[in-house]
Amino acid sequence: MKILQIMPAEGWVAVYDGGEDGEMEEPLACFALVQVDYKNGDGPQTEVRGMAPDEKLMAFVEDAENFVTIRRAEESEDDDEEEDESETED
């Protein structure tokens, strides 16, 4: 696998299966555009993969055994209320 480009992933989280505790979220540090050759005869292909700190290294979140998905971070209800108030003041 070869990293071709890295882009910030502000506002995105990796979701993991926390077992009895339910889902766990971890903020992503960046998205990486990677080139992968699956040796299936199609040649190199590109993918976008999420990355987050894992101790002292950056790791692809999809490689974790309990990885579920990547999604936008949910905004808190306080943020929604502040936006609503600012819209009504104008």
Side-chain angles (χ1 to χ4, degrees):
M1 180 178 319
K2 178 180 177 182
I3 296 177
L4 303 175
Q5 185 176 2
I6 293 178
M7 300 139 287
E10 187 176 324
W12 290 87
V13 294
V15 180
Y16 300 95
D17 180 1
E20 292 180 10
D21 295 333
E23 290 184 341
M24 302 180 306
E25 293 183 353
E26 175 182 48
L28 288 183
C30 61
F31 288 109
L33 176 64
V34 296
Q35 184 177 44
V36 181
D37 189 353
Y38 290 111
K39 308 290 185 201
N40 60 4
D42 292 338
Q45 300 171 14
T46 56
E47 299 178 350
V48 175
R49 301 188 70 194
M51 297 185 81
D54 181 20
E55 296 184 23
K56 294 183 180 181
L57 303 172
M58 290 295 287
F60 293 109
V61 296
E62 294 89 351
D63 293 343
E65 288 181 23
N66 61 339
F67 173 77
V68 177
T69 190
I70 292 175
R71 67 178 171 222
R72 279 260 187 219
E74 295 179 15
E75 296 181 12
S76 70
E77 290 181 21
D78 293 339
D79 292 342
D80 292 340
E81 288 174 8
E82 288 175 15
E83 287 178 16
D84 291 342
E85 288 174 12
S86 65
E87 287 176 7
T88 57
E89 289 175 6
D90 291 337

